[in-house]
Amino acid sequence: MVRKSIAYRILGIFLLGAVFISIAITPSSAKPLTLKVAGISAPEYRGTKSLFAIKEVVEKETEGRIILDLFPANQLGDYTQVFEEIRRGTIEMGLIFLPSQFDLMLEVGSLPFLAGTGEGMQKQLSPGSVVYGIIEKSLDKLGVNLLRIYGDGFVGVGLAKEPTNPLKAGMPKDAMIRVAPLAVYKETAEDLGFRTTSIPYADTYSAIQTGVCDGWIGGSSQINYLSFRDVIKYYIPYNCLFDQTAYIVGKKVWEQISEADQKVILKAVNEQADKSFADSKAEDIEFQQKLADFGVKIIPIPEKEMAELAETIRNTTWPKLEKTYGKETLDKIKESLQ
């Protein structure tokens, strides 16, 4: 009887312990994983709105296991700082520009006239393309996982003065424009026929206003309307470059997330990334009209001239970029365009 009593006590202790262990590992009692997510755009921009849409879906479908803590408008630092923090794991996720100081290959998505339509750019900047694969591989080496690329929109030229020969590449435009300090922007602008200067983006508005430069290249019609409409009088939708950001997450952080919750995040991100390219087209039409309504003259480029511009830039500018990206890389990308 004594032995039975001891056995029952041991069994009871074992069962009680099992219950406690079961409770401890139940998902509902697990501490949520909070991910800081950095954004560069203001709250009213659709890129930032996409982050809030992703947050809502992820937190609901993971039943609170994943919490996304959003910090838009460069609250956690500019994109170069954020990228380094994501590499370190001190910031977990972001929707940011990809800084090329760590690897120049992160610029290949900005090759001029990579595609002529939003649908074409979506194909070039989505999983399965040569360009996407190059960017993904480069980020992987840096300890960062690429979730998707977000389409912000085609880039045009905003000017305070009317240029000469606006529809012909290589013909002097009699205008100096600000370019980002990247070979792809400088070479493209100069091959279009503009003189260029590298001015910090934050100083571009005042530089145009005071006549230090005549305009700039690097923003969509939306950016030109929201940030430069008071100092520009002309907008040319060259659509030669495509503005883009990327949803990224630190590799070590990503590995801590269960496969099921990874799928939830990817599904939400994919939905917003796919939507972004269609939205960019509608947005471009909307903000070109807003520029026109404000008094900015739109200089449209007919289809024939646009095709000629694209051919000239691909034949003239791309070879100059071989020293930056490598001939083999550019040949692979060219082959994928056919």
Side-chain angles (χ1 to χ4, degrees), residues 155-195:
V155 164
V157 173
L159 292 154
K161 60 182 281 189
E162 186 170 9
T164 58
N165 308 304
L167 306 184
K168 297 291 183 181
M171 297 290 287
K173 302 294 183 285
D174 189 29
M176 177 183 286
I177 61 174
R178 180 265 178 189
V179 297
L182 301 174
V184 64
Y185 278 84
K186 178 178 172 61
E187 299 292 356
T188 300
E190 291 182 355
D191 287 339
L192 282 172
F194 292 98
R195 302 191 312 278

Side-chain angles (χ1 to χ4, degrees), residues 22-204:
S22 176
I23 292 172
I25 64 174
T26 299
S28 61
S29 66
K31 185 178 179 181
L33 178 62
T34 299
L35 308 179
K36 294 189 294 296
V37 185
I40 59 174
S41 300
E44 64 268 21
Y45 279 43
R46 60 184 172 85
T48 302
K49 292 178 180 178
S50 81
L51 288 176
F52 281 97
I54 291 168
K55 171 183 172 69
E56 183 178 356
V57 171
V58 168
E59 293 181 0
K60 178 180 179 181
E61 295 193 8
T62 64
E63 298 178 341
R65 293 187 297 275
I66 305 293
I67 302 296
L68 301 184
D69 195 6
L70 306 185
F71 296 88
N74 295 312
Q75 291 180 46
L76 299 182
D78 72 12
Y79 67 97
T80 56
Q81 294 172 304
V82 167
F83 186 82
E84 184 59 28
E85 295 299 327
I86 289 176
R87 290 184 67 196
R88 294 173 181 169
T90 47
I91 296 174
E92 289 77 21
M93 286 182 64
L95 174 60
I96 63 170
F97 294 119
L98 297 177
S100 59
Q101 70 261 37
F102 300 101
D103 189 341
L104 289 173
M105 290 302 178
L106 295 178
E107 295 177 9
V108 296
S110 296
L111 284 169
F113 289 108
L114 187 58
T117 64
E119 293 82 5
M121 286 307 307
Q122 181 172 0
K123 181 179 179 181
Q124 291 299 322
L125 298 177
S126 294
S129 77
V130 173
V131 170
Y132 192 93
I134 292 170
I135 297 172
E136 187 174 39
K137 184 177 180 180
S138 296
L139 287 173
D140 184 69
K141 291 178 181 177
L142 295 170
V144 176
N145 191 37
L146 176 61
L147 300 179
R148 277 294 298 272
I149 292 175
Y150 184 89
D152 287 285
F154 279 109
V155 164
V157 173
L159 292 154
K161 60 182 281 189
E162 186 170 9
T164 58
N165 308 304
L167 306 184
K168 297 291 183 181
M171 297 290 287
K173 302 294 183 285
D174 189 29
M176 177 183 286
I177 61 174
R178 180 265 178 189
V179 297
L182 301 174
V184 64
Y185 278 84
K186 178 178 172 61
E187 299 292 356
T188 300
E190 291 182 355
D191 287 339
L192 282 172
F194 292 98
R195 302 191 312 278
T196 66
T197 180
S198 183
I199 296 171
Y201 177 77
D203 298 330
T204 302

Side-chain angles (χ1 to χ4, degrees), residues 226-282:
L226 293 175
S227 301
F228 294 92
R229 66 179 182 267
D230 292 323
V231 292
I232 65 172
K233 296 179 180 179
Y234 300 88
Y235 179 75
I236 312 173
Y238 280 116
N239 293 357
C240 49
L241 302 162
F242 193 81
D243 206 10
Q244 64 211 253
T245 45
Y247 297 105
I248 57 175
V249 61
K251 282 180 67 176
K252 291 182 180 179
V253 172
W254 188 246
E255 290 166 359
Q256 295 174 22
I257 300 172
S258 71
E259 185 177 346
D261 288 345
Q262 284 181 358
K263 288 180 179 178
V264 171
I265 295 171
L266 284 171
K267 179 184 175 184
V269 167
N270 282 330
E271 182 177 340
Q272 291 301 315
D274 288 337
K275 184 173 179 290
S276 71
F277 292 91
D279 286 348
S280 71
K281 182 177 180 179

